[in-house]
């Protein structure tokens, strides 16, 4: 289907990867993973022909059609939404345009008539008669309502433009589908629809994503960029992650109980290979996993930050009471008579499309914003630690280096302690003296998590903490939140993190009302789907 032969890429004096030999085949979904800067998006650009490799070749059978998720939201502003989607199959769109131009003539010559017959035949063979209905179905599945379909892309909400470009990539059953972060900006329903679409998709899918639940659901293989190499492994992300961790431990203990470790790993393969039933490729996947040997499993050079929350004291019975809180901003009611009691052990997920409601409620709970009406009462033993969605105020106009910045939040001001703490959060050597105002988005998030860990709070409030984080940091945060014994209020797009951490759901409706259910995330989604059926 698609073959990569002896591929390498060098940027100036840095070799990104070399001697890459891979084959992507029909019916499989390949998740591309790697640390930030490893070259995931660059690799996709080489596969799609948008970038030249330093050496090697990418070979695609000439009769196959490749579709790539576009990133430029404004490049189709001159077209309607429906036309933009149909342009995902360029040949079909071109034939349709030529056909329409012929029929628009006041008089048709004999040659025009012959050409029209040929175009009609080609149009039908390419699925032209079903094109608009297929495009409409995909758009609706991705949350773009029919009222927008005949409208101009120029007048569409930028968030919906992304969905239209995704619909364009999916349109017309391409033979090879390449997507970079397709779940960005999609709501829960659209992500679920996309997962189901890809599970039924019979061609080749190659995708980069930071959404672990998405990778686990749709992927049959993981393509890992590490050690300057690109290697392919059978299984989804969780299988890759767990086996890579076990291999790391095996390498560390090469001279200790090797046989026991190998037996443990083989048992893990057997358990995992019998544990996937949703995908249509499950049977083939199990057969591939059954054939795996320990030598074929991955080892990784990646480093994971150390995330551990340690409350200074246990919270009492009275934690947090919110009574009839309402808030209107710029004439829009964001929160409408929101009331709830936080009980001991409650780990709450804020979900729903009304993300403004999440952030406004967090600001009110932390006293950074006043409600228009209602009250917020914290218990005397409750101490909160807050991760805001926008952390710019903590870093802008600040000339401190990392050590100085962290010292203001640390109970131990010694440089030795602070450097050790920063080292566990992947800031090593002279990096700790870097000015905080020049940090990347992911580095700032790790700093904010460090601040939270040092606070000793027994109620954690986190508003989109996975933004800017790579998969390794998200996994570490997930582990830290699962382990901590305290209350959590969490707004997050990461399905797996929410499902494994939270036991209560706050779903905020568009008009600011609160739906409160003591269920896990998956249980809530299942109930919601049942009620909507």
């Amino acid at each position: 289907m698609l073959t990569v032969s002896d591929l390498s890429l060098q940027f100036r004096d840095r070799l990104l990867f070399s001697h890459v030999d891979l084959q992507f085949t029909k019916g499989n979904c390949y998740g591309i993973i790697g640390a930030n800067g490893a070259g995931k998006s660059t690799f996709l650009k080489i596969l799609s022909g948008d970038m030249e490799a330093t050496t090697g070749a990418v070979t695609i059978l000439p009769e196959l059609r490749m579709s790539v998720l576009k990133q430029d939201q404004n490049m189709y502003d001159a077209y309607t939404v429906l036309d933009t989607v149909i342009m995902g199959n360029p040949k079909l769109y071109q034939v349709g345009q030529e056909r329409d131009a012929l029929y628009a003539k006041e008089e048709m010559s004999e040659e025009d008539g012959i050409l029209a017959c040929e175009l009609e035949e080609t149009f039908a063979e390419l699925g032209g008669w079903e094109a608009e209905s297929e495009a409409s179905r995909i758009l609706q599945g991705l949350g773009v309502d029919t009222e927008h379909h005949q409208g101009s892309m120029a007048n569409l909400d930028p968030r919906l433009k992304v969905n239209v470009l995704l619909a364009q990539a999916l349109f017309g059953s391409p033979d090879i589908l390449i997507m970079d972060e397709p779940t960005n900006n999609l709501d829960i329903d659209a992500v679920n629809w996309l997962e189901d679409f890809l599970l039924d998709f019979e061609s080749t899918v190659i995708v980069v994503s930071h959404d672990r639940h998405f990778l686990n659901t749709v992927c049959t293989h993981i393509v890992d960029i590490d050690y300057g190499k690109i290697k392919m492994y059978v299984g989804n992300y969780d299988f890759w992650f767990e086996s890579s961790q076990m291999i790391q431990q095996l390498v560390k203990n090469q001279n200790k109980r090797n046989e026991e470790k190998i037996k443990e790993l083989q048992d893990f393969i057997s358990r995992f290979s019998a544990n996937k039933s949703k995908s249509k490729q499950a049977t083939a996947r199990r057969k591939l996993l059954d054939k795996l040997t320990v030598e074929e499993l991955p080892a990784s050079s990646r480093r994971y930050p150390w995330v551990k929350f340690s409350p200074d004291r246990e919270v009492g019975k009275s934690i947090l009471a919110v009574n009839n809180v309402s808030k209107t901003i710029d004439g829009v009611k964001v929160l409408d008579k929101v009331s709830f009691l936080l009980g001991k052990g409650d780990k709450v997920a804020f979900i729903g499309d009304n993300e403004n409601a999440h952030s406004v409620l967090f600001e009110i709970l932390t006293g950074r914003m006043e409600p228009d009406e209602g009250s917020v009462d914290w218990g005397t033993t409750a101490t909160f630690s807050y991760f805001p969605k926008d952390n710019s105020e903590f870093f802008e106009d600040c000339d401190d280096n990392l050590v100085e910045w962290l010292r203001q939040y640390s109970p131990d001001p010694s440089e030795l302690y602070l450097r050790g703490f920063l080292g566990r959060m992947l800031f090593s050597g002279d990096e700790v003296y870097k000015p905080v105002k020049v940090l990347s988005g992911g580095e700032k998030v790790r700093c904010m998590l460090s601040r939270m860990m040092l606070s000793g709070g027994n109620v954690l409030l986190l508003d989109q903490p996975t933004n800017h984080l790579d998969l390794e940091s998200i996994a570490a945060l997930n582990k830290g939140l699962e382990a901590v014994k305290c209350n959590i209020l969490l707004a997050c797009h990461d399905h797996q993190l929410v499902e494994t951490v939270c036991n209560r759901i706050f779903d905020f409706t568009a008009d600011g009302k609160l739906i409160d259910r003591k269920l896990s995330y998956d249980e809530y989604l299942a109930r919601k789907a049942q009620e909507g059926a």
Side-chain angles (χ1 to χ4, degrees), residues 504-527:
R504 187 174 175 185
I505 301 296
F506 283 3
D507 190 349
F508 291 86
T509 63
D511 56 0
K513 290 184 168 55
L514 172 64
I515 301 170
D516 179 4
R517 296 288 185 270
K518 292 193 175 182
L519 297 168
S520 73
Y521 188 40
D522 282 346
E523 288 170 342
Y524 180 72
L525 291 179
R527 178 175 291 188

mmCIF file of all heavy atoms in Angstrom, residues 504-527:
data_model
loop_
_atom_site.group_PDB
_atom_site.id
_atom_site.type_symbol
_atom_site.label_atom_id
_atom_site.label_comp_id
_atom_site.label_asym_id
_atom_site.label_seq_id
_atom_site.Cartn_x
_atom_site.Cartn_y
_atom_site.Cartn_z
ATOM 1 N N ARG A 504 -17.208 11.330 39.435
ATOM 2 C CA ARG A 504 -18.411 12.180 39.430
ATOM 3 C C ARG A 504 -18.320 13.120 38.227
ATOM 4 O O ARG A 504 -17.223 13.587 37.896
ATOM 5 C CB ARG A 504 -18.494 12.971 40.733
ATOM 6 C CG ARG A 504 -19.784 13.769 40.940
ATOM 7 C CD ARG A 504 -19.793 14.380 42.340
ATOM 8 N NE ARG A 504 -20.934 15.257 42.571
ATOM 9 C CZ ARG A 504 -21.115 15.979 43.685
ATOM 10 N NH1 ARG A 504 -20.226 15.928 44.667
ATOM 11 N NH2 ARG A 504 -22.177 16.762 43.813
ATOM 12 N N ILE A 505 -19.448 13.391 37.595
ATOM 13 C CA ILE A 505 -19.483 14.189 36.377
ATOM 14 C C ILE A 505 -20.315 15.447 36.567
ATOM 15 O O ILE A 505 -21.452 15.388 37.035
ATOM 16 C CB ILE A 505 -20.075 13.371 35.199
ATOM 17 C CG1 ILE A 505 -19.244 12.113 34.935
ATOM 18 C CG2 ILE A 505 -20.179 14.234 33.947
ATOM 19 C CD1 ILE A 505 -17.837 12.368 34.492
ATOM 20 N N PHE A 506 -19.725 16.597 36.207
ATOM 21 C CA PHE A 506 -20.461 17.858 36.093
ATOM 22 C C PHE A 506 -20.542 18.203 34.603
ATOM 23 O O PHE A 506 -19.525 18.517 33.978
ATOM 24 C CB PHE A 506 -19.741 18.997 36.820
ATOM 25 C CG PHE A 506 -19.892 18.989 38.322
ATOM 26 C CD1 PHE A 506 -20.582 17.985 38.983
ATOM 27 C CD2 PHE A 506 -19.315 19.999 39.079
ATOM 28 C CE1 PHE A 506 -20.703 17.984 40.358
ATOM 29 C CE2 PHE A 506 -19.438 20.020 40.459
ATOM 30 C CZ PHE A 506 -20.137 19.000 41.110
ATOM 31 N N ASP A 507 -21.726 18.134 34.040
ATOM 32 C CA ASP A 507 -21.941 18.458 32.621
ATOM 33 C C ASP A 507 -22.658 19.804 32.562
ATOM 34 O O ASP A 507 -23.800 19.928 33.019
ATOM 35 C CB ASP A 507 -22.773 17.359 31.952
ATOM 36 C CG ASP A 507 -22.830 17.518 30.428
ATOM 37 O OD1 ASP A 507 -22.414 18.580 29.930
ATOM 38 O OD2 ASP A 507 -23.306 16.586 29.760
ATOM 39 N N PHE A 508 -21.979 20.820 32.009
ATOM 40 C CA PHE A 508 -22.543 22.168 31.944
ATOM 41 C C PHE A 508 -23.224 22.364 30.589
ATOM 42 O O PHE A 508 -22.601 22.207 29.549
ATOM 43 C CB PHE A 508 -21.449 23.214 32.140
ATOM 44 C CG PHE A 508 -20.899 23.243 33.535
ATOM 45 C CD1 PHE A 508 -19.868 22.385 33.905
ATOM 46 C CD2 PHE A 508 -21.414 24.102 34.482
ATOM 47 C CE1 PHE A 508 -19.348 22.396 35.187
ATOM 48 C CE2 PHE A 508 -20.914 24.127 35.774
ATOM 49 C CZ PHE A 508 -19.875 23.269 36.133
ATOM 50 N N THR A 509 -24.497 22.709 30.624
ATOM 51 C CA THR A 509 -25.253 22.921 29.393
ATOM 52 C C THR A 509 -24.898 24.284 28.801
ATOM 53 O O THR A 509 -24.239 25.121 29.437
ATOM 54 C CB THR A 509 -26.765 22.860 29.662
ATOM 55 O OG1 THR A 509 -27.124 23.926 30.566
ATOM 56 C CG2 THR A 509 -27.146 21.527 30.294
ATOM 57 N N ALA A 510 -25.354 24.516 27.571
ATOM 58 C CA ALA A 510 -25.043 25.767 26.873
ATOM 59 C C ALA A 510 -25.577 26.988 27.609
ATOM 60 O O ALA A 510 -25.004 28.083 27.513
ATOM 61 C CB ALA A 510 -25.600 25.722 25.452
ATOM 62 N N ASP A 511 -26.681 26.832 28.365
ATOM 63 C CA ASP A 511 -27.259 27.974 29.083
ATOM 64 C C ASP A 511 -26.773 28.068 30.529
ATOM 65 O O ASP A 511 -27.347 28.795 31.334
ATOM 66 C CB ASP A 511 -28.796 27.926 29.031
ATOM 67 C CG ASP A 511 -29.366 26.618 29.576
ATOM 68 O OD1 ASP A 511 -28.572 25.742 29.994
ATOM 69 O OD2 ASP A 511 -30.605 26.461 29.580
ATOM 70 N N GLY A 512 -25.709 27.310 30.869
ATOM 71 C CA GLY A 512 -25.078 27.479 32.170
ATOM 72 C C GLY A 512 -25.643 26.656 33.302
ATOM 73 O O GLY A 512 -25.257 26.849 34.459
ATOM 74 N N LYS A 513 -26.529 25.726 33.007
ATOM 75 C CA LYS A 513 -27.075 24.869 34.066
ATOM 76 C C LYS A 513 -26.176 23.648 34.266
ATOM 77 O O LYS A 513 -25.439 23.239 33.371
ATOM 78 C CB LYS A 513 -28.501 24.427 33.715
ATOM 79 C CG LYS A 513 -29.519 25.566 33.782
ATOM 80 C CD LYS A 513 -30.928 25.073 33.528
ATOM 81 C CE LYS A 513 -31.965 26.123 33.864
ATOM 82 N NZ LYS A 513 -31.749 27.395 33.174
ATOM 83 N N LEU A 514 -26.241 23.083 35.468
ATOM 84 C CA LEU A 514 -25.371 21.971 35.833
ATOM 85 C C LEU A 514 -26.139 20.662 35.899
ATOM 86 O O LEU A 514 -27.167 20.565 36.562
ATOM 87 C CB LEU A 514 -24.708 22.248 37.196
ATOM 88 C CG LEU A 514 -23.912 21.099 37.814
ATOM 89 C CD1 LEU A 514 -22.714 20.747 36.945
ATOM 90 C CD2 LEU A 514 -23.463 21.460 39.229
ATOM 91 N N ILE A 515 -25.628 19.633 35.198
ATOM 92 C CA ILE A 515 -26.114 18.259 35.336
ATOM 93 C C ILE A 515 -25.071 17.512 36.153
ATOM 94 O O ILE A 515 -23.911 17.399 35.748
ATOM 95 C CB ILE A 515 -26.305 17.584 33.961
ATOM 96 C CG1 ILE A 515 -27.298 18.364 33.104
ATOM 97 C CG2 ILE A 515 -26.767 16.139 34.133
ATOM 98 C CD1 ILE A 515 -27.359 17.895 31.661
ATOM 99 N N ASP A 516 -25.459 17.009 37.314
ATOM 100 C CA ASP A 516 -24.542 16.393 38.271
ATOM 101 C C ASP A 516 -24.857 14.902 38.393
ATOM 102 O O ASP A 516 -25.965 14.524 38.776
ATOM 103 C CB ASP A 516 -24.704 17.106 39.623
ATOM 104 C CG ASP A 516 -23.806 16.537 40.710
ATOM 105 O OD1 ASP A 516 -22.991 15.632 40.428
ATOM 106 O OD2 ASP A 516 -23.926 16.991 41.867
ATOM 107 N N ARG A 517 -23.890 14.028 38.054
ATOM 108 C CA ARG A 517 -24.102 12.581 38.141
ATOM 109 C C ARG A 517 -22.900 11.912 38.797
ATOM 110 O O ARG A 517 -21.755 12.160 38.428
ATOM 111 C CB ARG A 517 -24.291 11.978 36.740
ATOM 112 C CG ARG A 517 -25.532 12.480 36.005
ATOM 113 C CD ARG A 517 -26.814 11.904 36.598
ATOM 114 N NE ARG A 517 -27.976 12.309 35.810
ATOM 115 C CZ ARG A 517 -28.699 13.396 36.015
ATOM 116 N NH1 ARG A 517 -28.353 14.215 37.011
ATOM 117 N NH2 ARG A 517 -29.734 13.686 35.256
ATOM 118 N N LYS A 518 -23.172 11.040 39.763
ATOM 119 C CA LYS A 518 -22.093 10.278 40.412
ATOM 120 C C LYS A 518 -21.854 8.994 39.627
ATOM 121 O O LYS A 518 -22.276 7.907 39.997
ATOM 122 C CB LYS A 518 -22.445 9.999 41.866
ATOM 123 C CG LYS A 518 -22.462 11.263 42.714
ATOM 124 C CD LYS A 518 -22.508 10.981 44.199
ATOM 125 C CE LYS A 518 -22.402 12.277 44.993
ATOM 126 N NZ LYS A 518 -22.383 12.061 46.451
ATOM 127 N N LEU A 519 -21.144 9.166 38.516
ATOM 128 C CA LEU A 519 -20.837 8.074 37.602
ATOM 129 C C LEU A 519 -19.428 8.276 37.066
ATOM 130 O O LEU A 519 -18.869 9.372 37.127
ATOM 131 C CB LEU A 519 -21.813 8.088 36.407
ATOM 132 C CG LEU A 519 -23.305 7.867 36.673
ATOM 133 C CD1 LEU A 519 -24.094 8.209 35.419
ATOM 134 C CD2 LEU A 519 -23.578 6.432 37.090
ATOM 135 N N SER A 520 -18.844 7.215 36.532
ATOM 136 C CA SER A 520 -17.593 7.378 35.803
ATOM 137 C C SER A 520 -17.907 8.028 34.457
ATOM 138 O O SER A 520 -19.066 8.103 34.040
ATOM 139 C CB SER A 520 -16.912 6.024 35.588
ATOM 140 O OG SER A 520 -17.610 5.272 34.608
ATOM 141 N N TYR A 521 -16.875 8.461 33.772
ATOM 142 C CA TYR A 521 -17.058 9.144 32.491
ATOM 143 C C TYR A 521 -17.713 8.218 31.467
ATOM 144 O O TYR A 521 -18.680 8.589 30.799
ATOM 145 C CB TYR A 521 -15.699 9.632 32.005
ATOM 146 C CG TYR A 521 -15.742 10.525 30.793
ATOM 147 C CD1 TYR A 521 -16.720 11.505 30.634
ATOM 148 C CD2 TYR A 521 -14.767 10.417 29.802
ATOM 149 C CE1 TYR A 521 -16.726 12.343 29.527
ATOM 150 C CE2 TYR A 521 -14.769 11.249 28.701
ATOM 151 C CZ TYR A 521 -15.750 12.203 28.567
ATOM 152 O OH TYR A 521 -15.758 13.026 27.475
ATOM 153 N N ASP A 522 -17.192 7.008 31.334
ATOM 154 C CA ASP A 522 -17.755 6.072 30.365
ATOM 155 C C ASP A 522 -19.194 5.697 30.709
ATOM 156 O O ASP A 522 -20.038 5.554 29.817
ATOM 157 C CB ASP A 522 -16.894 4.811 30.270
ATOM 158 C CG ASP A 522 -15.637 5.033 29.441
ATOM 159 O OD1 ASP A 522 -15.578 6.058 28.735
ATOM 160 O OD2 ASP A 522 -14.722 4.187 29.501
ATOM 161 N N GLU A 523 -19.466 5.541 32.004
ATOM 162 C CA GLU A 523 -20.849 5.236 32.428
ATOM 163 C C GLU A 523 -21.785 6.382 32.063
ATOM 164 O O GLU A 523 -22.911 6.153 31.610
ATOM 165 C CB GLU A 523 -20.893 4.984 33.937
ATOM 166 C CG GLU A 523 -20.267 3.665 34.364
ATOM 167 C CD GLU A 523 -20.120 3.559 35.871
ATOM 168 O OE1 GLU A 523 -20.171 4.608 36.561
ATOM 169 O OE2 GLU A 523 -19.949 2.443 36.369
ATOM 170 N N TYR A 524 -21.304 7.612 32.258
ATOM 171 C CA TYR A 524 -22.137 8.768 31.939
ATOM 172 C C TYR A 524 -22.398 8.860 30.437
ATOM 173 O O TYR A 524 -23.532 9.117 30.011
ATOM 174 C CB TYR A 524 -21.472 10.048 32.435
ATOM 175 C CG TYR A 524 -22.289 11.285 32.142
ATOM 176 C CD1 TYR A 524 -23.461 11.551 32.849
ATOM 177 C CD2 TYR A 524 -21.910 12.170 31.140
ATOM 178 C CE1 TYR A 524 -24.226 12.674 32.573
ATOM 179 C CE2 TYR A 524 -22.661 13.292 30.861
ATOM 180 C CZ TYR A 524 -23.822 13.537 31.581
ATOM 181 O OH TYR A 524 -24.584 14.653 31.295
ATOM 182 N N LEU A 525 -21.355 8.641 29.627
ATOM 183 C CA LEU A 525 -21.520 8.692 28.176
ATOM 184 C C LEU A 525 -22.487 7.601 27.696
ATOM 185 O O LEU A 525 -23.308 7.834 26.800
ATOM 186 C CB LEU A 525 -20.173 8.527 27.486
ATOM 187 C CG LEU A 525 -19.177 9.683 27.646
ATOM 188 C CD1 LEU A 525 -17.873 9.363 26.927
ATOM 189 C CD2 LEU A 525 -19.754 10.999 27.152
ATOM 190 N N ALA A 526 -22.379 6.417 28.306
ATOM 191 C CA ALA A 526 -23.275 5.319 27.918
ATOM 192 C C ALA A 526 -24.717 5.657 28.259
ATOM 193 O O ALA A 526 -25.636 5.416 27.454
ATOM 194 C CB ALA A 526 -22.844 4.031 28.610
ATOM 195 N N ARG A 527 -24.935 6.226 29.439
ATOM 196 C CA ARG A 527 -26.297 6.593 29.842
ATOM 197 C C ARG A 527 -26.840 7.703 28.947
ATOM 198 O O ARG A 527 -28.005 7.679 28.539
ATOM 199 C CB ARG A 527 -26.319 7.043 31.303
ATOM 200 C CG ARG A 527 -27.695 7.496 31.773
ATOM 201 C CD ARG A 527 -27.723 7.828 33.245
ATOM 202 N NE ARG A 527 -27.557 6.643 34.072
ATOM 203 C CZ ARG A 527 -27.701 6.639 35.406
ATOM 204 N NH1 ARG A 527 -28.003 7.773 36.037
ATOM 205 N NH2 ARG A 527 -27.536 5.539 36.085
#
